[in-house]
Amino acid sequence: MIKVKKRKFLLLPGDGVGPEVVGEVKKIIQWFNSNKSLDFEMEEGLAGGASYDKHGTPITDEVFYKALECEAVILGAVGGPKWDNLEFSKKPERALLKLRKELKLFANLRPAICFKQLVDASTLKPEIVSGLDIMIVRELTGGIYFGEPRGIKPIDNGERKGINTHTYTTSEIQRVARVAFDLAKKRKNKVTSCEKSNVMEAGLLWREEVELLHDKEFKDVQLNHMLADNCAMQLLRNPKQFDVIVTDNLFGDMLSDQASMLTGSLGLLPSASLGAKNKDGKIRAMYEPIHGSAPDIAGKGIANPIATILSFAMALKYSLDLVKESDALEKAVQTVLDEKLRTKDILSPGMKEVSTSEMGDAIISKLQ
Ligand code: NAD
């Protein structure tokens, strides 16, 4: 008998609302195993402040090696005021940075979709955001967050100097641009590449390398270049002009947060971080909601689990190629929203308020 290899997810609930929202994904994994005869296996580990409290480090080697071995990591969120004053290397966020760097998760995919049922939750006019569907591809392992030299050092006049270095190489730019072009081909076939080539050499290189790759391999995809500050403005003025946006780590951090707010709630938006292939040809990947640990609502059972559930749907699609199951899960979320169920963050008059776990249960009931 052929032994089927189990597909293993590593769940890292993290801090704050992380365990609450990842708990709903656990229920969904169990549902798929029982009802669709899928062979998912779950392992769980500590990350962030929870790991620091137990082990004195934001992520242990043991958990890190599990992350290397699994099919995909599903992360809740890390951080919170309790750990704000720790030294930099012990901060919860270091767990994330280590996973991103060591798993070589160089492409962060953040869809900004405005669900038609929630168009009123956006601060923008309905006609500007209704039907919005943008994918932001952010470079995740290079640029100013990782460049050397970095640090804070004293200088001659008694002042201090803070230093960070922004660098990119041809291959770093082209591999993330390739992800963006490939995605665009499955969408509306349009890529907007953003940088600051008017004032930064690394930005100029970014523009040139994206253009070179486009001309060599992706002539059939429409490409335009935009300065990152203009992109920030255009995202508010006319966000539906975009299909796929590709940009560096720093600008991507900001533009994707901005784009997420077009849709009304942080609690709805998933993300995927894709990396280099491992020795079996599998892409390493981590999936997480874009929101943080929401310490202000942690433990109250009111966090919105949809972003994390949709992150799991992305894992089904991008890591396991289970497109049908992924679509079914996304559709279940839409149906629950159609039926006017809302967690507190997206509640509006005429809707029914549900808790985190009631939302998870309702989504599972639509999978039946
Ligand atoms: P946050 O995303 O945690 O919260 C911002 C606001 O959105 C809060 O009002 C919160 O209640 C609300 N919110 C967030 N997620 C929600 C959900 N699922 N359902 C309902 N409401 C939700 O951002 P913050 O307050 O700036 O950061 C809190 C902590 O999280 C900080 O320690 C920060 O460093 C950390 N953080 C972690 C990540 C991550 O793990 N990837 C990302 C961002 C922030």
Side-chain angles (χ1 to χ4, degrees):
M1 196 174 103
I2 302 167
K3 193 163 178 294
V4 181
K5 204 173 149 214
K6 288 205 170 214
R7 290 173 283 191
K8 198 190 286 178
F9 290 106
L10 175 65
L11 306 182
L12 300 177
D15 308 316
V17 296
E20 297 168 53
V21 291
V22 171
E24 299 311 305
V25 168
K26 262 198 243 177
K27 294 196 312 208
I28 290 170
I29 294 178
Q30 279 154 358
W31 185 89
F32 273 115
N33 280 346
S34 316
N35 294 278
K36 295 282 168 199
S37 305
L38 291 172
D39 54 352
F40 300 146
E41 200 178 298
M42 294 183 261
E43 269 206 84
E44 219 171 296
L46 294 176
S51 173
Y52 175 79
D53 285 350
K54 182 139 191 232
H55 302 292
T57 170
I59 184 164
T60 60
D61 287 346
E62 194 196 341
V63 171
F64 174 66
Y65 287 120
K66 280 183 187 166
L68 284 177
E69 280 163 15
C70 69
E71 207 88 23
V73 177
I74 311 287
L75 181 103
V78 295
K82 183 177 173 194
W83 304 283
D84 274 354
N85 296 323
L86 290 177
E87 68 171 82
F88 204 62
S89 67
K90 299 211 158 36
K91 279 189 184 289
E93 290 76 10
R94 295 309 292 178
L96 272 186
L97 295 182
K98 176 164 173 154
L99 285 166
R100 286 176 184 165
K101 186 83 187 166
E102 302 296 330
L103 298 180
K104 302 190 170 55
L105 303 177
F106 63 84
N108 182 224
L109 277 47
R110 285 182 42 165
I113 298 163
C114 188
F115 293 100
K116 65 177 188 313
Q117 303 89 337
L118 296 171
V119 85
D120 292 333
S122 173
T123 48
L124 295 195
K125 293 186 190 129
E127 64 269 26
I128 303 286
V129 288
S130 177
L132 181 75
D133 181 2
I134 305 177
M135 177 70 86
I136 299 200
V137 180
R138 165 188 169 193
E139 201 290 327
L140 206 58
T141 54
I144 199 150
Y145 293 162
F146 293 100
E148 297 284 349
R150 62 186 297 154
I152 300 177
K153 63 175 190 184
I155 49 176
D156 292 346
N157 59 1
E159 292 187 30
R160 295 185 299 156
K161 189 174 188 177
I163 304 155
N164 291 94
T165 307
H166 183 74
T167 68
Y168 273 108
T169 62
T170 297
S171 56
E172 283 176 319
I173 297 167
Q174 290 206 352
R175 69 181 177 176
V176 73
R178 183 170 281 112
V179 171
F181 285 127
D182 279 336
L183 278 169
K185 283 170 115 174
K186 297 180 194 142
R187 296 170 46 96
K188 295 186 206 117
N189 215 31
K190 183 174 170 191
V191 169
T192 304
S193 169
C194 296
E195 26 57 18
K196 288 284 288 174
S197 55
N198 53 341
V199 286
M200 294 166 72
E201 284 75 7
L204 183 59
L205 183 80
W206 183 281
R207 181 176 287 226
E208 289 175 359
E209 294 297 347
V210 171
E211 187 79 41
L212 281 171
L213 179 70
H214 172 259
D215 292 352
K216 204 163 136 214
E217 293 179 31
F218 296 97
K219 266 266 183 247
D220 49 336
V221 180
Q222 189 190 336
L223 168 69
N224 68 314
H225 302 279
M226 194 177 271
L227 297 177
D229 48 345
N230 184 25
C231 181
M233 213 162 62
Q234 295 297 333
L235 274 172
L236 292 180
R237 200 182 69 84
N238 176 20
K240 284 191 257 180
Q241 69 183 283
F242 297 108
D243 177 23
V244 176
I245 294 174
V246 61
T247 188
D248 72 23
N249 204 343
L250 174 66
F251 296 137
D253 197 355
M254 293 175 192
L255 293 174
S256 56
D257 263 21
Q258 188 186 334
S260 69
M261 279 324 289
L262 300 174
T263 68
S265 171
L266 281 178
L268 293 170
L269 295 174
S271 80
S273 300
L274 308 181
K277 290 188 176 148
N278 67 15
K279 58 180 181 344
D280 305 325
K282 276 261 168 214
I283 288 179
R284 293 222 161 93
M286 181 158 82
Y287 299 85
E288 55 182 314
I290 68 153
H291 61 74
S293 59
D296 52 333
I297 58 164
K300 296 185 179 162
I302 58 172
N304 189 341
I306 291 181
T308 315
I309 290 171
L310 291 177
S311 302
F312 179 66
M314 289 181 91
L316 293 175
K317 190 175 287 171
Y318 294 118
S319 281
L320 303 186
D321 230 0
L322 293 173
V323 178
K324 214 168 71 201
E325 286 75 3
S326 172
D327 288 348
L329 188 51
E330 285 174 8
K331 188 151 181 287
V333 170
Q334 294 274 1
T335 310
V336 166
L337 294 175
D338 280 338
E339 292 183 357
K340 303 188 177 350
L341 301 187
R342 303 281 189 272
T343 42
K344 202 180 181 66
D345 54 310
I346 50 173
L347 192 62
S348 58
M351 304 292 140
K352 179 174 184 301
E353 184 174 348
V354 292
S355 67
T356 308
S357 70
E358 285 167 339
M359 181 57 97
D361 291 343
I363 291 168
I364 289 173
S365 76
K366 299 302 168 204
L367 282 169
Q368 305 289 353

